[in-house]
Amino acid sequence: MKTIQFREAVCEAMSEEMRRDESIYLMGEEVAEYNGAYKASKGMLDEFGPKRVIDTPIAELGFAGIAVGSTMTGNRPIVEFMTFNFSLVGIDQIINNAAKIRQMSGGQFKCPIVFRGPTASAGQLGATHSQAFESWFANTPGLKVVVPSNPYDAKGLLKAAIRDDDPVIFMESEQMYGDKGEVPEGEYTIPLGVADVKREGKDVTIVSFGKIIKEAYKAADELEKEGISCEIIDLRTVRPMDHDTILKSVKKTNRLVVLEEAWPFGNVATEITYQVQAQAFDYLDAPIVKINTADTPAPYSPVLLAEWLPNSNDVVKAVKKVLYK
């Protein structure tokens, strides 16, 4: 094992896959000459050249469309959005073309493409740069949605996403690019659609994903001091969702808290709540509690932003609520 940053794990995944398959290329704003807005493509232009690592204008609709069209001629593009907030400019290409090509062509065309970049808040970036879009894209049949929380998962999941024959939305975080973690020296992939039990426990199940899961770890450490044992599940892939791992855990702990950095209406936590009550209602000893951001655009003020975002104290309170403590 070696210890590398999240951004290095992303770069290694892309580079290894591009060495393996010449049909793969990277396209996006500042991915080439600048080594990536977050240095996630550092050195790739030097290795692969300007025909496979392509700087684009600030025109997400245009380069997303070019990339989707190129899949129909045998290419496997990776499209980087500087932030998924900017993907809204090109969302027509993602929703109406990438997600639907296979069905609308009667299976004649696959669309092996990865759209990747940071999601959700990253400090004081304002309301229009602080939005979580996992549930938006997961709502669309034909798209797979991956949200890793650490370098090991990021590399293994990204390699699997690049090899997938369907369009994959791969969502990172500006606040995780510098995170360090152990990654194997050799080749490995992590299958899409498989959640991971990051921490075993017996009293309550906490389900989360992405950078906000760190607050669950902090809360679990605090609760352990009070004799409360938390089981933490990292979804890793939002769609397809690993219902079996969640249900197995809930049947053991009989209580569920879902932590998600997203607005409270119609989100991933809502879907998890429905699936658990539909398939494991008799195992629940308390109503499910979901923790989300406040139902407002993200504030710029650091004081208000801290109130807007879920934190470990919110998780502690939710766990005690489902335990009736």
Side-chain angles (χ1 to χ4, degrees):
M1 303 288 279
K2 59 184 177 183
T3 300
I4 61 174
Q5 292 184 328
F6 192 104
R7 60 167 58 87
E8 293 174 300
V10 170
C11 186
E12 283 192 3
M14 294 190 294
S15 297
E16 288 176 12
E17 293 306 300
M18 287 175 68
R19 292 181 198 120
R20 187 184 61 84
D21 185 345
E22 291 188 356
S23 69
I24 300 168
Y25 68 90
L26 173 65
M27 172 187 282
E29 296 157 4
E30 299 185 349
V31 299
E33 296 288 348
Y34 192 66
N35 287 313
Y38 311 104
K39 300 300 180 274
S41 54
K42 186 176 181 179
M44 291 181 64
L45 174 63
D46 291 339
E47 179 175 356
F48 299 105
K51 289 187 176 180
R52 296 186 67 197
V53 182
I54 306 166
D55 276 332
T56 68
I58 303 174
E60 286 79 8
L61 176 63
F63 65 76
I66 289 169
V68 172
S70 77
T71 67
M72 303 171 77
T73 59
N75 292 291
R76 306 181 72 89
I78 304 166
V79 174
E80 177 178 307
F81 294 119
M82 198 175 292
T83 160
F84 263 96
N85 295 278
F86 301 161
S87 76
L88 298 187
V89 182
I91 201 167
D92 178 58
Q93 296 293 347
I94 302 171
I95 301 297
N96 277 332
N97 292 320
K100 296 176 174 63
I101 281 177
R102 186 190 286 267
Q103 183 184 21
M104 292 182 68
S105 69
Q108 295 177 80
F109 294 110
K110 298 179 293 186
C111 190
I113 186 170
V114 175
F115 296 99
R116 50 159 293 271
T119 184
S121 65
Q124 290 178 266
L125 297 181
T128 57
H129 289 186
S130 305
Q131 304 168 105
F133 293 112
E134 295 90 323
S135 60
W136 286 39
F137 291 113
N139 182 257
T140 305
L143 297 180
K144 297 176 180 177
V145 181
V146 180
V147 193
S149 66
N150 59 80
Y152 173 85
D153 288 353
K155 182 175 180 180
L157 289 165
L158 182 51
K159 287 171 70 71
I162 294 169
R163 296 181 189 186
D164 201 287
D165 282 338
D166 290 314
V168 179
I169 309 295
F170 195 90
M171 309 183 103
E172 303 153 13
S173 168
E174 288 136 297
Q175 293 184 327
M176 289 198 302
Y177 284 121
D179 288 0
K180 293 183 178 180
E182 289 190 335
V183 170
E185 293 279 1
E187 168 76 12
Y188 77 100
T189 61
I190 297 172
L192 306 187
V194 180
D196 189 28
V197 180
K198 298 295 189 186
R199 180 171 179 149
E200 298 278 352
K202 60 183 178 60
D203 295 324
V204 60
T205 299
I206 303 173
V207 176
S208 188
F209 57 91
K211 79 174 190 291
I212 201 68
I213 198 172
K214 296 176 185 178
E215 299 302 315
Y217 297 144
K218 294 177 190 175
D221 288 340
E222 288 299 313
L223 290 162
E224 189 175 36
K225 297 174 185 176
E226 301 180 37
I228 298 172
S229 174
C230 299
E231 181 148 297
I232 300 178
I233 296 174
D234 187 342
L235 277 183
R236 301 198 294 197
T237 302
V238 169
R239 180 162 182 164
M241 186 181 292
D242 184 357
H243 298 134
D244 290 343
T245 295
I246 299 170
L247 292 169
K248 181 180 178 181
S249 179
V250 170
K251 288 177 181 179
K252 177 176 70 173
T253 66
N254 310 116
R255 293 170 174 85
L256 175 61
V257 170
V258 187
L259 171 63
E260 178 188 6
E261 184 184 344
W263 293 311
F265 187 91
N267 51 36
V268 175
T270 304
E271 175 64 17
I272 293 170
T273 300
Y274 171 77
Q275 293 295 336
V276 171
Q277 68 82 28
Q279 300 185 60
F281 181 81
D282 291 338
Y283 290 89
L284 290 171
D285 287 341
I288 298 167
V289 174
K290 66 187 188 81
I291 307 167
N292 299 113
T293 67
D295 196 18
T296 70
Y300 179 78
S301 158
V303 176
L304 292 177
L305 184 64
E307 288 296 314
W308 182 81
L309 268 174
N311 58 46
S312 60
N313 290 330
D314 298 324
V315 180
V316 169
K317 291 175 185 177
V319 167
K320 290 184 175 181
K321 182 176 181 179
V322 298
L323 287 167
Y324 301 111
K325 291 189 176 184

